[in-house]
């Protein structure tokens, strides 16, 4: 057996690893590693050559190594065995924590001791992301698929597993293109037929990495906190929805209900209506705002999917968040007349009783990340400050 590859890191980085930190940046490495393959397992050592554990190495990312075990010298076989155990543990945890829901994050990278792996469940569809050179490998895919199949479809229950890469991460990590067909499907088309089909060229691949295969579904309807949502694996951001907001959706609705401030609510950057529809369960009127027309169309479909929300006054407005809040803020400070609000988009459902008061009982701000890098931090802070300041002005007293 060949000796394990080693990666020596600075004393400061070693202290962080010993304290529980799981990442090693390229600037933390002492010396230039030679002959280390992309995604290889490496043993981390401090400057005195004392081992710290085993990590997955990246030749491309500024995040050069991710710790996967405190055991040094782990072999690939041992890593895959640990992988299977940790996946099974993650699935069992979700069974205990997610009642009344068949959509949730199954695997969340380091939070489940599975660096570089994300898996989201949407009813009978599972979307995975392999985010590092060490995990975007066929043996990891095989281990992941087998564990998900055994845990979610032990008796051949409906299940299809797709891999949907994050385009930005794929570029940064210099990852190869993922398989174009499903990784697994309990529907009639065998996985073997999919894997043997000719690879599509880069220009033919859809941005999502998802292609439509005979008998392998890409759409479904899932339940989140007892509300129904449409899902399309080939559309939307990330894996298609923001399942990590599940508890926040419920908490926001519960908090507003308990406050008694249920006259009207505003959901900024509503996307597919997650916060808006949860607030519609407790508020008399809800307005969802997003700059994406297709997102609002999806939100409206989700509204119609829920009989419990029939007759609820829910408006969708296509607008830039900053422009819309600025308009309402300026309007509020100059007049209580809101008749000059921006013309509503065609997808907006007509309001049955618009109020002349521009203030809201509750406001949710859920914007995208403004800072993709450290250089953008200052402008991001200014953006967050403006959003929050204008929203606070638009809240009714006690809102």
């Amino acid at each position: 057996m060949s000796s394990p590859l080693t990666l020596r890191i600075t004393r400061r980085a070693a202290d962080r690893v010993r304290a529980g930190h799981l990442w090693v940046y390229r600037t933390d490495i002492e010396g230039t590693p030679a002959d280390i393959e992309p995604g290889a397992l490496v043993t981390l050592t401090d400057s005195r050559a004392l081992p710290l554990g085993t990590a997955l190495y990246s030749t491309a990312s500024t995040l050069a190594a991710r710790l996967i075990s405190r055991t040094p010298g782990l072999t690939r076989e041992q890593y895959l065995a640990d992988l299977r155990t940790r996946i099974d543990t993650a699935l069992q945890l979700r069974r205990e924590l997610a009642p009344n829901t068949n959509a949730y994050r199954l695997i969340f990278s380091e939070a489940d001791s599975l660096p570089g792996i994300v898996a989201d469940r949407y009813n009978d569809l599972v979307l995975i992301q392999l985010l590092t050179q060490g995990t975007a490998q066929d043996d990891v895919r095989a281990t992941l698929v087998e564990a998900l199949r055994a845990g979610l479809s032990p008796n051949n229950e409906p299940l299809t597993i797709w891999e949907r890469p994050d385009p930005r991460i794929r570029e940064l990590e210099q990852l190869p293109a993922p398989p174009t067909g499903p990784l697994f499907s309990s529907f009639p088309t065998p996985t073997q037929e999919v894997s043997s089909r000719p690879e599509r060229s880069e220009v033919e691949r859809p941005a999502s990495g998802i292609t439509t295969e005979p008998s392998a579904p890409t759409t479904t309807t899932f339940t989140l906190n007892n509300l129904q949502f449409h899902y399309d694996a080939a559309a939307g951001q990330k894996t298609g929805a923001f399942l990590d907001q599940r508890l926040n959706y419920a908490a926001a609705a519960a908090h507003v209900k308990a406050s008694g401030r249920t006259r009207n609510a505003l959901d900024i950057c509503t996307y597919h209506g997650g916060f808006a529809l949860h607030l519609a369960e407790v508020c008399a009127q809800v307005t969802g705002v997003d700059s994406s027309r297709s997102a609002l169309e999806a939100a409206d479909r989700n509204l119609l999917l829920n009989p419990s929300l029939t007759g609820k006054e829910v408006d969708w407005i296509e607008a830039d968040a900053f422009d819309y809040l600025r308009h309402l803020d300026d309007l509020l400070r100059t007049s209580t007349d809101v008749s000059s609000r921006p013309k509503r988009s065609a997808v907006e459902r007509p309001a049955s009783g618009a109020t002349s008061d521009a203030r809201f009982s509750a406001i949710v701000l859920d914007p995208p990340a403004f800072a993709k890098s450290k250089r953008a931090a200052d402008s991001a802070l200014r953006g967050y400050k403006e959003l929050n300041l204008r929203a606070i002005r638009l809240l009714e007293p006690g809102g």
Side-chain angles (χ1 to χ4, degrees):
M1 180 183 297
S2 59
S3 59
L5 297 168
T6 60
L7 198 67
R8 191 174 74 250
I9 62 177
T10 64
R11 178 179 177 179
R12 183 179 178 183
D15 288 344
R16 288 201 305 267
V17 169
R18 288 192 176 99
H21 197 64
L22 302 178
W23 294 351
V24 175
Y25 297 95
R26 197 159 301 280
T27 53
D28 294 326
I29 298 173
E30 290 188 339
T32 304
D35 302 324
I36 300 183
E37 295 293 324
L41 292 169
V42 295
T43 293
L44 298 180
T45 69
D46 63 13
S47 56
R48 296 170 294 170
L50 295 177
L52 301 166
T54 302
L56 292 171
Y57 180 70
S58 170
T59 60
S61 175
T62 56
L63 204 169
R66 295 173 185 248
L67 192 73
I68 58 168
S69 174
R70 297 288 170 177
T71 302
L74 215 63
T75 65
R76 191 76 183 177
E77 291 72 22
Q78 290 171 321
Y79 165 59
L80 294 175
D82 278 358
L83 202 67
R84 176 60 191 263
T85 300
R86 294 174 187 183
I87 294 169
D88 291 343
T89 300
L91 296 186
Q92 180 58 36
L93 180 63
R94 271 55 176 188
R95 295 186 192 102
E96 299 169 1
L97 296 181
N100 304 319
T101 296
N102 60 11
Y104 37 81
R105 178 145 289 179
L106 288 169
I107 297 170
F108 197 10
S109 200
E110 281 84 357
D112 288 304
S113 300
L114 292 163
I117 301 175
V118 170
D120 286 340
R121 180 185 187 182
Y122 301 90
N123 191 10
D124 52 0
L125 298 182
V126 172
L127 273 288
I128 69 169
Q129 291 187 325
L130 303 177
L131 303 171
T132 70
Q133 292 178 347
T135 55
Q137 304 269 356
D138 287 341
D139 56 0
V140 172
R141 286 188 183 92
T143 301
L144 184 57
V145 167
E146 176 53 30
L148 293 174
R149 185 208 61 76
L152 302 178
S153 181
N155 300 307
N156 210 38
E157 291 89 347
L159 178 68
T160 300
I161 302 172
W162 295 94
E163 181 176 349
R164 177 171 175 170
D166 183 309
R168 182 171 176 270
I169 297 298
R170 180 181 156 196
E171 179 182 357
L172 291 174
E173 282 276 334
Q174 299 178 7
L175 302 179
T180 57
L183 299 182
F184 169 82
S185 182
S186 59
F187 291 84
T189 301
T191 304
Q192 291 83 354
E193 290 183 16
V194 174
S195 61
S196 64
R197 292 175 185 169
E199 283 289 304
R200 296 188 177 198
S201 69
E202 283 297 306
V203 295
E204 295 176 314
R205 293 177 187 274
S208 65
I210 301 295
T211 59
T212 302
E213 297 289 342
S215 303
T218 61
T219 61
T220 191
T221 300
F222 65 88
T223 303
L224 197 70
N225 302 324
N226 288 321
L227 286 174
Q228 300 293 304
F229 291 83
H230 286 289
Y231 176 69
D232 185 348
Q237 303 173 31
K238 306 239 175 142
T239 65
F242 292 96
L243 296 181
D244 50 349
Q245 291 282 34
R246 178 177 63 88
L247 296 179
N248 289 337
Y249 291 152
H255 185 64
V256 170
K257 182 178 180 180
S259 74
R261 302 289 176 171
T262 58
R263 180 174 61 86
N264 62 347
L266 176 65
D267 180 16
I268 294 294
C269 302
T270 188
Y271 191 49
H272 289 174
F275 279 107
L277 298 186
H278 281 78
L279 290 172
E281 291 191 301
V282 300
C283 291
Q285 193 274 335
V286 177
T287 300
V289 178
D290 203 282
S291 61
S292 168
R293 185 181 184 84
S294 61
L296 293 177
E297 289 171 344
D300 201 49
R301 288 195 297 271
N302 291 333
L303 174 63
L304 296 174
L305 196 60
N306 289 279
S308 64
L309 301 181
T310 300
K312 289 282 187 173
E313 188 178 327
V314 180
D315 302 333
W316 307 116
I317 294 183
E318 181 184 354
D320 174 83
F322 288 94
D323 292 344
Y324 187 73
L325 287 177
R326 192 178 298 118
H327 170 79
L328 290 187
D329 188 16
D330 293 344
L331 197 64
L332 184 66
R333 287 190 289 174
T334 57
S335 173
T336 57
D337 179 14
V338 295
S339 60
S340 60
R341 283 185 182 181
K343 186 178 181 180
R344 292 173 175 172
S345 74
V347 299
E348 182 186 351
R349 302 175 67 80
S352 59
T355 175
S356 60
D357 188 350
R359 295 184 186 273
F360 293 87
S361 303
I363 298 176
V364 170
L365 300 177
D366 187 25
F370 291 162
K372 299 294 185 181
S373 66
K374 187 175 181 179
R375 289 180 299 177
D378 288 343
S379 61
L381 288 173
R382 288 193 296 272
Y384 289 129
K385 178 181 178 181
E386 180 180 349
L387 279 182
N388 282 274
L389 179 61
R390 293 188 184 278
I392 289 170
R393 287 173 178 165
L394 291 170
L395 274 176
E396 66 183 22

